[in-house]
Amino acid sequence: MATLGIYEKALPKGISWEERLVLAKKLGFDFVEMSIDETDERLSRLEWSKEERKQIIDAIHETGVKILSICLSGHRRFPFGSKDEAVREQALEIMKQAIDLASDLGVRTIQLAGYDVYYEEKTIASRNYFIENLKKAVGMAASKEVVLSIEIMDDAFINSISKFLKIKEQIPSPYLQVYPDLGNLSAWPENDIGYELEQGISQISAIHLKDTLAVTDEFGGKFKEVPFGDGCVDFAGCLKTLKRLDYNGPFLIEMWSETSEMPELEIERAKNFLFPFLKEAGYFE
């Protein structure tokens, strides 16, 4: 039976982790995906003390709601592929700290953004640095039995499972997997979605559920905060394909309602939209 999670940034900001997990349980979720983004506030989580980590572990045990994944988007600010050696070293240090945190909290998967650089110009060198440092990161993760999973992104560097698989050929480790975002995957018109899922099924560790507006010649697409049902994702087709391929891993609803006046209502609306598709595909009763 598949599990259903909710992204931390969908839940109210400024509450404790115990309150966050209690709310996730109330809303019917099995787990929460933690965010460690490029802000100083969330990057500071990498330096939580043993006592702070214990408090979260205790909350997990009390609520029965786990933190199974970390969305580590802090590398957008400190990318593996940076031309600056000091930035690349910082990227690896962030990776080491995130792996240690995941190991302490019982997190199974660290999701990495699929781009070499974000704010810098992309070059052949940035791609090379990315692959070199990803290989080092996978080695670190393997030593702690934590899986690194590349998200299919809003960035052309890795905007398909096929592109991920070309990287995977160079780092053939079971500790490197792919984390398809159905929204991002669907927004790129060159992607044959069914084929992409079929090609990558043996490498998929988790699935993001999100809607997007497609990229066109005149429009760069919209990859965040598109209401479910207003975008281009064929949820019925994607989920039926995944079921046919015997995918039984976790699904994660990705939303950014943490500063909304009524985040619980927005989350319920998202669930009400998605559940008929999940049930029709055979994932939930």
Side-chain angles (χ1 to χ4, degrees), residues 97-238:
Q97 291 177 307
I99 291 167
D100 288 342
L101 179 63
S103 179
D104 288 347
L105 298 183
V107 169
R108 309 284 197 271
T109 300
I110 298 177
Q111 175 216 302
L112 301 181
Y115 38 64
D116 50 350
V117 291
Y118 190 80
Y119 298 113
E120 300 178 27
E121 180 184 0
K122 295 178 182 299
T123 63
I124 297 174
S126 66
R127 182 179 187 276
N128 188 61
Y129 284 137
F130 173 83
I131 295 172
E132 285 182 347
N133 288 317
L134 179 61
K135 186 174 182 179
K136 294 176 184 177
V138 171
M140 289 190 285
S143 70
K144 292 292 184 78
E145 300 184 41
V146 174
V147 172
L148 303 186
S149 199
I150 303 291
E151 184 181 17
I152 304 306
M153 295 300 296
D154 57 347
D155 180 283
F157 183 67
I158 303 181
N159 62 356
S160 68
I161 296 174
S162 298
K163 286 185 177 180
F164 161 78
L165 291 173
K166 292 183 183 299
I167 302 291
K168 178 69 183 264
E169 287 175 3
Q170 302 174 66
I171 312 174
S173 169
Y175 291 94
L176 178 62
Q177 302 292 336
V178 67
Y179 196 143
D181 181 308
L182 296 185
N184 293 345
L185 192 64
S186 300
W188 296 95
E190 63 266 33
N191 288 339
D192 180 330
I193 308 305
Y195 174 81
E196 289 290 314
L197 295 173
E198 289 164 357
Q199 286 293 103
I201 187 60
S202 65
Q203 313 293 326
I204 295 175
S205 62
I207 296 285
H208 267 170
L209 299 173
K210 181 184 75 179
D211 219 341
T212 50
L213 298 179
V215 174
T216 68
D217 291 340
E218 297 78 28
F219 178 59
K222 186 175 181 181
F223 294 86
K224 290 178 64 175
E225 299 178 336
V226 175
F228 284 99
D230 289 356
C232 64
V233 180
D234 178 356
F235 288 102
C238 288

Side-chain angles (χ1 to χ4, degrees), residues 6-15 20 23 27 29 42 224-228 253-271:
I6 186 69
Y7 187 35
E8 175 193 341
K9 289 188 178 182
L11 300 166
K13 192 173 183 179
I15 60 178
R20 192 171 284 120
L23 179 55
L27 294 171
F29 292 99
R42 284 191 162 112
K224 290 178 64 175
E225 299 178 336
V226 175
F228 284 99
I253 297 178
E254 188 175 33
M255 298 174 60
W256 292 266
S257 48
E258 65 179 358
T259 58
S260 167
E261 293 183 1
M262 295 182 290
E264 292 184 43
L265 179 59
E266 292 188 30
I267 292 168
E268 288 290 357
R269 285 174 178 166
K271 283 185 65 180

